[in-house]
Amino acid sequence: MSSESTEVWTGWYRDRSGAEAIVITADGRHVATRIRGIEYTGESFAALSAADEGGQALTGCVLEWDLPLPVVVDGATQPATLGCLLTLGERADLSLTLHYGGAAFESCVAGGDFDWALERVRRQLPPGADFARRLLQTA
């Protein structure tokens, strides 16, 4: 992954064995994280698998992370944070919560489609407001 185009977010991995801090990287085509010494990669969060473990899918866990996602209103950029919670089990469930301007804008989707969930958050923003930047397509 090129450091010029790579986003890095910190978060938490949780399963029945406990929790640990993780680092998530995304390069525009893939996302990756290392959990308990195993590298998981995929084209989306919901499709993370371990290449060294025969392609075993990441499942039976929760990933949680926050990322800065400023909002622009009438040309002025304002700080905002996007909270992400991905449950990986029989299916992937993704919850996004944008904390902006003293309010929380939420979206929950089955299947873990990050782009769809983010678009649902975007549609809740006040008139004239939009995200200050685009997140990577794989996220």
Side-chain angles (χ1 to χ4, degrees):
M1 286 185 210
S2 164
S3 62
E4 293 177 339
S5 62
T6 299
E7 297 241 12
V8 178
W9 308 305
T10 59
W12 289 95
Y13 167 86
R14 291 181 181 83
D15 67 9
R16 61 187 164 161
S17 298
E20 71 176 60
I22 60 170
V23 174
I24 299 167
T25 58
D27 70 359
R29 294 179 307 181
H30 296 90
V31 292
T33 189
R34 179 173 294 279
I35 300 168
R36 298 186 179 131
I38 299 172
E39 183 77 18
Y40 290 89
T41 62
E43 292 182 5
S44 70
F45 288 112
L48 289 170
S49 62
D52 293 342
E53 303 293 320
Q56 180 179 341
L58 184 60
T59 188
C61 64
V62 173
L63 300 176
E64 185 174 6
W65 68 102
D66 291 336
L67 57 106
L69 186 58
V71 172
V72 175
V73 179
D74 299 325
T77 302
Q78 300 176 12
T81 301
L82 184 67
C84 309
L85 178 68
L86 177 63
T87 303
L88 296 171
E90 289 183 25
R91 70 172 194 212
D93 293 318
L94 176 65
S95 298
L96 300 181
T97 305
L98 182 72
H99 299 277
Y100 156 70
F105 302 90
E106 298 179 336
S107 174
C108 300
V109 296
D113 187 325
F114 192 90
D115 290 333
W116 174 241
L118 191 60
E119 181 58 29
R120 291 178 66 183
V121 170
R122 180 192 314 269
R123 287 185 278 163
Q124 296 174 47
L125 293 174
D130 200 357
F131 300 130
R133 66 185 183 98
R134 298 197 52 80
L135 291 176
L136 298 171
Q137 296 302 313
T138 61

PDB file of all heavy atoms in Angstrom, residues 29-60:
ATOM      1  N   ARG A  29      -8.489   0.286  -2.688  1.00  0.00           N
ATOM      2  CA  ARG A  29      -8.948  -0.974  -3.279  1.00  0.00           C
ATOM      3  C   ARG A  29      -9.133  -2.062  -2.238  1.00  0.00           C
ATOM      4  O   ARG A  29      -9.902  -2.991  -2.454  1.00  0.00           O
ATOM      5  CB  ARG A  29      -7.966  -1.461  -4.334  1.00  0.00           C
ATOM      6  CG  ARG A  29      -7.904  -0.542  -5.546  1.00  0.00           C
ATOM      7  CD  ARG A  29      -6.914  -1.041  -6.538  1.00  0.00           C
ATOM      8  NE  ARG A  29      -5.637  -1.245  -5.833  1.00  0.00           N
ATOM      9  CZ  ARG A  29      -4.528  -1.665  -6.383  1.00  0.00           C
ATOM     10  NH1 ARG A  29      -4.501  -1.964  -7.639  1.00  0.00           N
ATOM     11  NH2 ARG A  29      -3.434  -1.802  -5.693  1.00  0.00           N
ATOM     12  N   HIS A  30      -8.396  -1.979  -1.143  1.00  0.00           N
ATOM     13  CA  HIS A  30      -8.449  -3.012  -0.117  1.00  0.00           C
ATOM     14  C   HIS A  30      -8.435  -2.381   1.273  1.00  0.00           C
ATOM     15  O   HIS A  30      -7.904  -1.287   1.453  1.00  0.00           O
ATOM     16  CB  HIS A  30      -7.241  -3.949  -0.214  1.00  0.00           C
ATOM     17  CG  HIS A  30      -7.201  -4.717  -1.489  1.00  0.00           C
ATOM     18  ND1 HIS A  30      -6.567  -4.243  -2.606  1.00  0.00           N
ATOM     19  CD2 HIS A  30      -7.740  -5.914  -1.822  1.00  0.00           C
ATOM     20  CE1 HIS A  30      -6.706  -5.125  -3.582  1.00  0.00           C
ATOM     21  NE2 HIS A  30      -7.420  -6.145  -3.134  1.00  0.00           N
ATOM     22  N   VAL A  31      -8.983  -3.104   2.218  1.00  0.00           N
ATOM     23  CA  VAL A  31      -8.836  -2.755   3.625  1.00  0.00           C
ATOM     24  C   VAL A  31      -8.075  -3.905   4.283  1.00  0.00           C
ATOM     25  O   VAL A  31      -8.112  -5.040   3.800  1.00  0.00           O
ATOM     26  CB  VAL A  31     -10.195  -2.516   4.335  1.00  0.00           C
ATOM     27  CG1 VAL A  31     -10.850  -1.270   3.808  1.00  0.00           C
ATOM     28  CG2 VAL A  31     -11.104  -3.704   4.210  1.00  0.00           C
ATOM     29  N   ALA A  32      -7.377  -3.600   5.366  1.00  0.00           N
ATOM     30  CA  ALA A  32      -6.582  -4.612   6.043  1.00  0.00           C
ATOM     31  C   ALA A  32      -6.490  -4.299   7.526  1.00  0.00           C
ATOM     32  O   ALA A  32      -6.554  -3.140   7.939  1.00  0.00           O
ATOM     33  CB  ALA A  32      -5.184  -4.680   5.435  1.00  0.00           C
ATOM     34  N   THR A  33      -6.327  -5.356   8.310  1.00  0.00           N
ATOM     35  CA  THR A  33      -6.069  -5.214   9.737  1.00  0.00           C
ATOM     36  C   THR A  33      -5.358  -6.475  10.215  1.00  0.00           C
ATOM     37  O   THR A  33      -5.466  -7.540   9.597  1.00  0.00           O
ATOM     38  CB  THR A  33      -7.359  -4.958  10.547  1.00  0.00           C
ATOM     39  OG1 THR A  33      -7.010  -4.628  11.891  1.00  0.00           O
ATOM     40  CG2 THR A  33      -8.297  -6.154  10.528  1.00  0.00           C
ATOM     41  N   ARG A  34      -4.637  -6.364  11.301  1.00  0.00           N
ATOM     42  CA  ARG A  34      -3.958  -7.509  11.900  1.00  0.00           C
ATOM     43  C   ARG A  34      -4.626  -7.767  13.249  1.00  0.00           C
ATOM     44  O   ARG A  34      -4.705  -6.866  14.090  1.00  0.00           O
ATOM     45  CB  ARG A  34      -2.473  -7.229  12.085  1.00  0.00           C
ATOM     46  CG  ARG A  34      -1.710  -8.381  12.731  1.00  0.00           C
ATOM     47  CD  ARG A  34      -0.219  -8.141  12.745  1.00  0.00           C
ATOM     48  NE  ARG A  34       0.343  -8.110  11.407  1.00  0.00           N
ATOM     49  CZ  ARG A  34       0.648  -9.185  10.674  1.00  0.00           C
ATOM     50  NH1 ARG A  34       0.424 -10.378  11.158  1.00  0.00           N
ATOM     51  NH2 ARG A  34       1.168  -9.050   9.476  1.00  0.00           N
ATOM     52  N   ILE A  35      -5.079  -9.007  13.426  1.00  0.00           N
ATOM     53  CA  ILE A  35      -5.753  -9.396  14.663  1.00  0.00           C
ATOM     54  C   ILE A  35      -5.086 -10.651  15.210  1.00  0.00           C
ATOM     55  O   ILE A  35      -5.015 -11.672  14.510  1.00  0.00           O
ATOM     56  CB  ILE A  35      -7.255  -9.655  14.426  1.00  0.00           C
ATOM     57  CG1 ILE A  35      -7.912  -8.386  13.883  1.00  0.00           C
ATOM     58  CG2 ILE A  35      -7.923 -10.142  15.702  1.00  0.00           C
ATOM     59  CD1 ILE A  35      -9.302  -8.590  13.342  1.00  0.00           C
ATOM     60  N   ARG A  36      -4.562 -10.547  16.417  1.00  0.00           N
ATOM     61  CA  ARG A  36      -3.888 -11.660  17.078  1.00  0.00           C
ATOM     62  C   ARG A  36      -2.848 -12.310  16.176  1.00  0.00           C
ATOM     63  O   ARG A  36      -2.775 -13.525  16.046  1.00  0.00           O
ATOM     64  CB  ARG A  36      -4.913 -12.666  17.586  1.00  0.00           C
ATOM     65  CG  ARG A  36      -5.830 -12.040  18.633  1.00  0.00           C
ATOM     66  CD  ARG A  36      -6.762 -13.017  19.286  1.00  0.00           C
ATOM     67  NE  ARG A  36      -7.545 -12.282  20.269  1.00  0.00           N
ATOM     68  CZ  ARG A  36      -8.856 -12.362  20.363  1.00  0.00           C
ATOM     69  NH1 ARG A  36      -9.534 -13.172  19.582  1.00  0.00           N
ATOM     70  NH2 ARG A  36      -9.485 -11.659  21.277  1.00  0.00           N
ATOM     71  N   GLY A  37      -2.081 -11.456  15.494  1.00  0.00           N
ATOM     72  CA  GLY A  37      -0.985 -11.923  14.665  1.00  0.00           C
ATOM     73  C   GLY A  37      -1.371 -12.384  13.271  1.00  0.00           C
ATOM     74  O   GLY A  37      -0.505 -12.778  12.491  1.00  0.00           O
ATOM     75  N   ILE A  38      -2.634 -12.331  12.921  1.00  0.00           N
ATOM     76  CA  ILE A  38      -3.087 -12.762  11.602  1.00  0.00           C
ATOM     77  C   ILE A  38      -3.514 -11.546  10.803  1.00  0.00           C
ATOM     78  O   ILE A  38      -4.296 -10.720  11.278  1.00  0.00           O
ATOM     79  CB  ILE A  38      -4.257 -13.768  11.710  1.00  0.00           C
ATOM     80  CG1 ILE A  38      -3.796 -15.009  12.470  1.00  0.00           C
ATOM     81  CG2 ILE A  38      -4.785 -14.131  10.323  1.00  0.00           C
ATOM     82  CD1 ILE A  38      -4.910 -15.983  12.793  1.00  0.00           C
ATOM     83  N   GLU A  39      -3.005 -11.425   9.569  1.00  0.00           N
ATOM     84  CA  GLU A  39      -3.346 -10.326   8.675  1.00  0.00           C
ATOM     85  C   GLU A  39      -4.626 -10.668   7.916  1.00  0.00           C
ATOM     86  O   GLU A  39      -4.720 -11.692   7.255  1.00  0.00           O
ATOM     87  CB  GLU A  39      -2.208 -10.085   7.679  1.00  0.00           C
ATOM     88  CG  GLU A  39      -2.426  -8.920   6.759  1.00  0.00           C
ATOM     89  CD  GLU A  39      -2.177  -7.571   7.419  1.00  0.00           C
ATOM     90  OE1 GLU A  39      -1.525  -7.511   8.478  1.00  0.00           O
ATOM     91  OE2 GLU A  39      -2.642  -6.569   6.866  1.00  0.00           O
ATOM     92  N   TYR A  40      -5.625  -9.792   8.025  1.00  0.00           N
ATOM     93  CA  TYR A  40      -6.890  -9.943   7.302  1.00  0.00           C
ATOM     94  C   TYR A  40      -6.974  -8.829   6.270  1.00  0.00           C
ATOM     95  O   TYR A  40      -6.737  -7.667   6.588  1.00  0.00           O
ATOM     96  CB  TYR A  40      -8.084  -9.840   8.252  1.00  0.00           C
ATOM     97  CG  TYR A  40      -8.206 -11.009   9.184  1.00  0.00           C
ATOM     98  CD1 TYR A  40      -7.566 -11.009  10.421  1.00  0.00           C
ATOM     99  CD2 TYR A  40      -8.963 -12.123   8.839  1.00  0.00           C
ATOM    100  CE1 TYR A  40      -7.665 -12.083  11.281  1.00  0.00           C
ATOM    101  CE2 TYR A  40      -9.078 -13.209   9.698  1.00  0.00           C
ATOM    102  CZ  TYR A  40      -8.425 -13.192  10.916  1.00  0.00           C
ATOM    103  OH  TYR A  40      -8.527 -14.255  11.763  1.00  0.00           O
ATOM    104  N   THR A  41      -7.315  -9.180   5.030  1.00  0.00           N
ATOM    105  CA  THR A  41      -7.487  -8.204   3.971  1.00  0.00           C
ATOM    106  C   THR A  41      -8.752  -8.530   3.182  1.00  0.00           C
ATOM    107  O   THR A  41      -9.246  -9.652   3.221  1.00  0.00           O
ATOM    108  CB  THR A  41      -6.287  -8.190   2.996  1.00  0.00           C
ATOM    109  OG1 THR A  41      -6.185  -9.470   2.375  1.00  0.00           O
ATOM    110  CG2 THR A  41      -4.995  -7.851   3.697  1.00  0.00           C
ATOM    111  N   GLY A  42      -9.253  -7.526   2.478  1.00  0.00           N
ATOM    112  CA  GLY A  42     -10.422  -7.738   1.636  1.00  0.00           C
ATOM    113  C   GLY A  42     -10.750  -6.493   0.850  1.00  0.00           C
ATOM    114  O   GLY A  42     -10.181  -5.420   1.079  1.00  0.00           O
ATOM    115  N   GLU A  43     -11.680  -6.638  -0.086  1.00  0.00           N
ATOM    116  CA  GLU A  43     -12.118  -5.493  -0.886  1.00  0.00           C
ATOM    117  C   GLU A  43     -13.102  -4.619  -0.135  1.00  0.00           C
ATOM    118  O   GLU A  43     -13.406  -3.518  -0.565  1.00  0.00           O
ATOM    119  CB  GLU A  43     -12.725  -5.980  -2.203  1.00  0.00           C
ATOM    120  CG  GLU A  43     -11.682  -6.599  -3.110  1.00  0.00           C
ATOM    121  CD  GLU A  43     -12.253  -7.038  -4.431  1.00  0.00           C
ATOM    122  OE1 GLU A  43     -13.444  -6.789  -4.705  1.00  0.00           O
ATOM    123  OE2 GLU A  43     -11.495  -7.640  -5.209  1.00  0.00           O
ATOM    124  N   SER A  44     -13.623  -5.105   0.997  1.00  0.00           N
ATOM    125  CA  SER A  44     -14.511  -4.331   1.853  1.00  0.00           C
ATOM    126  C   SER A  44     -14.348  -4.834   3.280  1.00  0.00           C
ATOM    127  O   SER A  44     -13.781  -5.905   3.511  1.00  0.00           O
ATOM    128  CB  SER A  44     -15.975  -4.474   1.404  1.00  0.00           C
ATOM    129  OG  SER A  44     -16.432  -5.784   1.673  1.00  0.00           O
ATOM    130  N   PHE A  45     -14.874  -4.090   4.223  1.00  0.00           N
ATOM    131  CA  PHE A  45     -14.806  -4.519   5.616  1.00  0.00           C
ATOM    132  C   PHE A  45     -15.517  -5.847   5.821  1.00  0.00           C
ATOM    133  O   PHE A  45     -15.057  -6.713   6.548  1.00  0.00           O
ATOM    134  CB  PHE A  45     -15.426  -3.464   6.540  1.00  0.00           C
ATOM    135  CG  PHE A  45     -14.579  -2.237   6.683  1.00  0.00           C
ATOM    136  CD1 PHE A  45     -14.991  -1.028   6.165  1.00  0.00           C
ATOM    137  CD2 PHE A  45     -13.359  -2.288   7.321  1.00  0.00           C
ATOM    138  CE1 PHE A  45     -14.214   0.110   6.292  1.00  0.00           C
ATOM    139  CE2 PHE A  45     -12.563  -1.158   7.461  1.00  0.00           C
ATOM    140  CZ  PHE A  45     -12.995   0.043   6.941  1.00  0.00           C
ATOM    141  N   ALA A  46     -16.656  -6.020   5.182  1.00  0.00           N
ATOM    142  CA  ALA A  46     -17.457  -7.224   5.354  1.00  0.00           C
ATOM    143  C   ALA A  46     -16.833  -8.444   4.687  1.00  0.00           C
ATOM    144  O   ALA A  46     -17.299  -9.560   4.898  1.00  0.00           O
ATOM    145  CB  ALA A  46     -18.866  -6.994   4.819  1.00  0.00           C
ATOM    146  N   ALA A  47     -15.780  -8.253   3.888  1.00  0.00           N
ATOM    147  CA  ALA A  47     -15.154  -9.360   3.166  1.00  0.00           C
ATOM    148  C   ALA A  47     -13.717  -9.613   3.620  1.00  0.00           C
ATOM    149  O   ALA A  47     -12.907 -10.144   2.860  1.00  0.00           O
ATOM    150  CB  ALA A  47     -15.191  -9.071   1.664  1.00  0.00           C
ATOM    151  N   LEU A  48     -13.392  -9.276   4.846  1.00  0.00           N
ATOM    152  CA  LEU A  48     -12.039  -9.507   5.342  1.00  0.00           C
ATOM    153  C   LEU A  48     -11.782 -10.999   5.512  1.00  0.00           C
ATOM    154  O   LEU A  48     -12.595 -11.722   6.089  1.00  0.00           O
ATOM    155  CB  LEU A  48     -11.834  -8.793   6.679  1.00  0.00           C
ATOM    156  CG  LEU A  48     -11.757  -7.275   6.618  1.00  0.00           C
ATOM    157  CD1 LEU A  48     -11.793  -6.685   8.028  1.00  0.00           C
ATOM    158  CD2 LEU A  48     -10.505  -6.826   5.887  1.00  0.00           C
ATOM    159  N   SER A  49     -10.633 -11.453   5.000  1.00  0.00           N
ATOM    160  CA  SER A  49     -10.260 -12.855   5.169  1.00  0.00           C
ATOM    161  C   SER A  49      -8.751 -12.946   5.358  1.00  0.00           C
ATOM    162  O   SER A  49      -8.001 -12.040   5.001  1.00  0.00           O
ATOM    163  CB  SER A  49     -10.703 -13.696   3.968  1.00  0.00           C
ATOM    164  OG  SER A  49     -10.055 -13.257   2.788  1.00  0.00           O
ATOM    165  N   ALA A  50      -8.326 -14.074   5.909  1.00  0.00           N
ATOM    166  CA  ALA A  50      -6.915 -14.293   6.210  1.00  0.00           C
ATOM    167  C   ALA A  50      -6.268 -15.095   5.096  1.00  0.00           C
ATOM    168  O   ALA A  50      -6.534 -16.286   4.945  1.00  0.00           O
ATOM    169  CB  ALA A  50      -6.785 -15.027   7.541  1.00  0.00           C
ATOM    170  N   ALA A  51      -5.426 -14.467   4.316  1.00  0.00           N
ATOM    171  CA  ALA A  51      -4.761 -15.141   3.199  1.00  0.00           C
ATOM    172  C   ALA A  51      -3.882 -16.289   3.678  1.00  0.00           C
ATOM    173  O   ALA A  51      -3.848 -17.351   3.067  1.00  0.00           O
ATOM    174  CB  ALA A  51      -3.946 -14.145   2.394  1.00  0.00           C
ATOM    175  N   ASP A  52      -3.184 -16.083   4.782  1.00  0.00           N
ATOM    176  CA  ASP A  52      -2.287 -17.121   5.302  1.00  0.00           C
ATOM    177  C   ASP A  52      -3.019 -18.260   5.986  1.00  0.00           C
ATOM    178  O   ASP A  52      -2.420 -19.247   6.351  1.00  0.00           O
ATOM    179  CB  ASP A  52      -1.278 -16.511   6.282  1.00  0.00           C
ATOM    180  CG  ASP A  52      -0.309 -15.563   5.584  1.00  0.00           C
ATOM    181  OD1 ASP A  52      -0.195 -15.647   4.347  1.00  0.00           O
ATOM    182  OD2 ASP A  52       0.323 -14.762   6.283  1.00  0.00           O
ATOM    183  N   GLU A  53      -4.293 -18.121   6.194  1.00  0.00           N
ATOM    184  CA  GLU A  53      -5.086 -19.142   6.873  1.00  0.00           C
ATOM    185  C   GLU A  53      -6.057 -19.809   5.890  1.00  0.00           C
ATOM    186  O   GLU A  53      -7.159 -20.202   6.256  1.00  0.00           O
ATOM    187  CB  GLU A  53      -5.869 -18.520   8.037  1.00  0.00           C
ATOM    188  CG  GLU A  53      -5.003 -17.804   9.057  1.00  0.00           C
ATOM    189  CD  GLU A  53      -4.103 -18.748   9.834  1.00  0.00           C
ATOM    190  OE1 GLU A  53      -4.558 -19.848  10.194  1.00  0.00           O
ATOM    191  OE2 GLU A  53      -2.931 -18.393  10.067  1.00  0.00           O
ATOM    192  N   GLY A  54      -5.678 -19.872   4.624  1.00  0.00           N
ATOM    193  CA  GLY A  54      -6.523 -20.506   3.620  1.00  0.00           C
ATOM    194  C   GLY A  54      -7.738 -19.689   3.237  1.00  0.00           C
ATOM    195  O   GLY A  54      -8.745 -20.233   2.791  1.00  0.00           O
ATOM    196  N   GLY A  55      -7.665 -18.375   3.425  1.00  0.00           N
ATOM    197  CA  GLY A  55      -8.779 -17.505   3.053  1.00  0.00           C
ATOM    198  C   GLY A  55      -9.922 -17.511   4.040  1.00  0.00           C
ATOM    199  O   GLY A  55     -11.028 -17.091   3.717  1.00  0.00           O
ATOM    200  N   GLN A  56      -9.670 -17.942   5.264  1.00  0.00           N
ATOM    201  CA  GLN A  56     -10.706 -17.995   6.298  1.00  0.00           C
ATOM    202  C   GLN A  56     -11.277 -16.594   6.542  1.00  0.00           C
ATOM    203  O   GLN A  56     -10.551 -15.650   6.817  1.00  0.00           O
ATOM    204  CB  GLN A  56     -10.137 -18.556   7.591  1.00  0.00           C
ATOM    205  CG  GLN A  56     -11.145 -18.634   8.719  1.00  0.00           C
ATOM    206  CD  GLN A  56     -10.534 -19.223   9.987  1.00  0.00           C
ATOM    207  OE1 GLN A  56      -9.513 -19.879   9.950  1.00  0.00           O
ATOM    208  NE2 GLN A  56     -11.184 -18.975  11.096  1.00  0.00           N
ATOM    209  N   ALA A  57     -12.604 -16.477   6.433  1.00  0.00           N
ATOM    210  CA  ALA A  57     -13.282 -15.186   6.629  1.00  0.00           C
ATOM    211  C   ALA A  57     -13.245 -14.775   8.093  1.00  0.00           C
ATOM    212  O   ALA A  57     -13.339 -15.622   8.989  1.00  0.00           O
ATOM    213  CB  ALA A  57     -14.719 -15.273   6.152  1.00  0.00           C
ATOM    214  N   LEU A  58     -13.122 -13.488   8.319  1.00  0.00           N
ATOM    215  CA  LEU A  58     -13.213 -12.938   9.665  1.00  0.00           C
ATOM    216  C   LEU A  58     -14.683 -12.947  10.062  1.00  0.00           C
ATOM    217  O   LEU A  58     -15.529 -12.367   9.370  1.00  0.00           O
ATOM    218  CB  LEU A  58     -12.656 -11.516   9.692  1.00  0.00           C
ATOM    219  CG  LEU A  58     -12.599 -10.825  11.052  1.00  0.00           C
ATOM    220  CD1 LEU A  58     -11.716 -11.614  12.021  1.00  0.00           C
ATOM    221  CD2 LEU A  58     -12.070  -9.407  10.895  1.00  0.00           C
ATOM    222  N   THR A  59     -15.025 -13.623  11.142  1.00  0.00           N
ATOM    223  CA  THR A  59     -16.417 -13.758  11.563  1.00  0.00           C
ATOM    224  C   THR A  59     -16.483 -13.951  13.066  1.00  0.00           C
ATOM    225  O   THR A  59     -15.469 -14.154  13.724  1.00  0.00           O
ATOM    226  CB  THR A  59     -17.108 -14.930  10.812  1.00  0.00           C
ATOM    227  OG1 THR A  59     -18.502 -14.920  11.091  1.00  0.00           O
ATOM    228  CG2 THR A  59     -16.516 -16.262  11.189  1.00  0.00           C
ATOM    229  N   GLY A  60     -17.697 -13.851  13.620  1.00  0.00           N
ATOM    230  CA  GLY A  60     -17.883 -14.057  15.054  1.00  0.00           C
ATOM    231  C   GLY A  60     -17.255 -12.968  15.892  1.00  0.00           C
ATOM    232  O   GLY A  60     -16.739 -13.235  16.978  1.00  0.00           O
TER     233      GLY A  60
END
